[in-house]
Amino acid sequence: MKYEIVRDYIGFGNARSGENLQDVKYIVSHDTGNPGSTAYANRNYFENVDPFASAHTFIDDNTILEIIPLDEKAWHVRANVATDNRMYGVNANNAAIGVELAYGGGINFQEAYQRYVWYHAYLVDKYNLDPSEDIVAHSTLDPARRTDPQNALNQHGISWNDFINDVQRAYNRYFQGNEGITEPVVKGASVDLPLDIGDEGQFVREVQRDLIRAGFSLPIYGADGIYGQETQRAVMRFQKRYGLTVDGLVGPQTLDKLKEVLNTSQPLTEFTLPNGILRRGDEGAGVRQIQRALKRVGFDPVYIDGIYGPRTEEAVRDFQSTFSALANDGIYGPNTRRYLQMELADL
Ligand SMILES: [Zn+2]
């Protein structure tokens, strides 16, 4: 086997229902649409924000990370598109594995791409698929809304056909004829926050890499995957610099701040959406969150003032009108929240 697969599953919730997947008929290939966001950053997002969206596997230049077991459903293709049923006779979320390529920012594209190709070949072998027939781009299933993964691949001169050919070659080279080597080495890595002295593993290594990229060097041990005193001191310097509680523990706040520092875009966690029903005349922090989220997904409410006025109502209505499943009433409720969260997840 060429690469390890890390299985580190998120908890049950919106993103992971625990429902069984049918027999796997095909693979849907995605990119995350969020340049610079690593496999584990995505895992943390799905674990902590728990949106009504997900994918089985996230791949960056370091890690092939399965966050949902391959025999369970993930929510990676909008249920109201019909192309998947037309092509394969079954909804993607019921019978396909969703694989996401992390790219951009500090992610080495070639390393990430090689893992992405290899992992597709692994799935081809595991489920007896035909690369030319049974791998489909998210953009093919949902052309009105999605451009992935070609968006990421084309930036590096790789066409869809190139990619499929690469998967076929990887399958021939690493899997064909290798009876008995059907499972890769698996090294689980639990992520119990906060990280503290003595913790080890792939996620610790990733936090270390992020600290270094953010300017907090680890001169003796580097990103060795072991949370020792050098890492703890760097975390404390980071916390002090950014006004966090200086405890040397990496919890959600420290992780979020680290992401914020590394990405020029706003962190996704800022778009945690309120529950309940909000409508014209309502005011408060929840309304402001809705306004910021609407703006982020392209439905500008004009004022980000925490007041659910006519412009906000109009933006909500415009947003709702793009989904046949949503009532076009300008009122924010659980269904609108769900679709807004799916848009923010940008899968
Ligand atoms: Zn996608």
Side-chain angles (χ1 to χ4, degrees):
M1 285 301 112
K2 193 164 182 203
Y3 297 112
E4 288 183 351
I5 295 171
V6 178
R7 292 183 175 138
D8 196 355
Y9 304 135
I10 60 174
F12 292 109
N14 300 330
R16 180 185 173 192
S17 69
E19 291 171 48
N20 287 332
L21 196 65
Q22 300 172 14
D23 287 343
V24 173
K25 298 258 175 35
Y26 57 108
I27 305 165
V28 182
S29 309
H30 302 259
D31 67 51
T32 62
N34 190 4
S37 182
T38 61
Y40 257 106
N42 276 277
R43 185 195 181 283
N44 289 333
Y45 169 74
F46 286 98
E47 175 85 320
N48 296 323
V49 177
D50 194 22
F52 281 98
S54 52
H56 293 94
T57 309
F58 291 82
I59 299 173
D60 64 21
D61 53 349
N62 199 42
T63 309
I64 297 172
L65 179 61
E66 292 177 357
I67 72 164
I68 291 180
L70 299 186
D71 58 0
E72 289 182 21
K73 290 182 186 181
W75 312 110
H76 52 103
V77 175
R78 197 173 294 277
N80 64 0
V81 305
T83 324
D84 44 0
N85 300 74
R86 212 157 50 233
M87 290 175 70
Y88 296 100
V90 57
N91 192 296
N93 293 333
N94 294 336
I97 303 291
V99 184
E100 298 269 355
L101 175 66
Y103 66 100
I107 298 167
N108 178 314
F109 179 80
Q110 282 308 328
E111 289 290 334
Y113 178 69
Q114 283 169 21
R115 284 165 176 76
Y116 189 64
V117 166
W118 179 89
Y119 185 74
H120 277 77
Y122 162 73
L123 294 178
V124 163
D125 181 61
K126 185 178 173 77
Y127 297 109
N128 289 315
L129 304 176
D130 176 350
S132 63
E133 306 252 315
D134 304 329
I135 301 176
V136 65
H138 192 192
S139 64
T140 301
L141 297 182
D142 197 355
R145 316 190 50 83
R146 296 302 179 207
T147 57
D148 62 316
Q150 286 94 331
N151 177 45
L153 301 183
N154 293 353
Q155 289 175 28
H156 296 272
I158 296 166
S159 69
W160 178 255
N161 282 338
D162 294 337
F163 167 61
I164 294 300
N165 289 336
D166 286 345
V167 172
Q168 183 69 60
R169 268 196 294 272
Y171 171 76
N172 294 344
R173 178 165 174 194
Y174 298 111
F175 295 94
Q176 208 176 35
N178 285 336
E179 304 303 333
I181 312 178
T182 51
E183 283 295 315
V185 178
V186 174
K187 189 170 71 180
S190 69
V191 183
D192 288 325
L193 295 180
L195 295 180
D196 194 1
I197 294 270
D199 284 334
E200 295 185 21
Q202 196 75 290
F203 185 56
V204 172
R205 180 175 289 118
E206 176 160 325
V207 169
Q208 291 172 322
R209 288 164 77 212
D210 286 349
L211 281 166
I212 294 167
R213 281 171 56 211
F216 298 82
S217 63
L218 303 169
I220 298 170
Y221 295 103
D224 62 354
I226 300 169
Y227 200 105
Q229 287 188 348
E230 181 177 79
T231 301
Q232 185 190 48
R233 282 195 295 270
V235 168
M236 291 171 83
R237 292 201 306 279
F238 175 83
Q239 290 171 327
K240 189 160 185 229
R241 167 93 59 87
Y242 291 101
L244 302 167
T245 305
V246 182
D247 57 8
L249 304 172
V250 178
Q253 283 186 328
T254 300
L255 280 178
D256 283 350
K257 182 57 79 176
L258 195 50
K259 261 185 281 176
E260 186 185 326
V261 169
L262 290 173
N263 292 320
T264 49
S265 59
Q266 288 175 291
L268 289 161
T269 47
E270 285 189 32
F271 291 95
T272 304
L273 292 165
N275 290 306
I277 291 172
L278 291 163
R279 66 178 81 209
R280 191 157 167 181
D282 286 332
E283 296 184 19
V287 175
R288 191 187 302 270
Q289 286 171 300
I290 296 167
Q291 290 172 325
R292 291 171 63 228
L294 283 166
K295 182 164 184 181
R296 172 71 173 252
V297 299
F299 295 84
D300 193 348
V302 187
Y303 307 108
I304 312 287
D305 55 4
I307 299 170
Y308 206 118
R311 304 306 291 268
T312 298
E313 186 182 57
E314 192 184 324
V316 170
R317 194 174 280 128
D318 287 347
F319 175 77
Q320 291 169 330
S321 70
T322 60
F323 302 100
S324 56
L326 289 179
N328 206 352
D329 57 7
I331 297 170
Y332 171 93
N335 287 330
T336 300
R337 178 183 193 272
R338 184 181 159 189
Y339 277 83
L340 198 47
Q341 203 130 56
M342 281 170 65
E343 288 303 289
L344 289 167
D346 194 28
L347 291 172

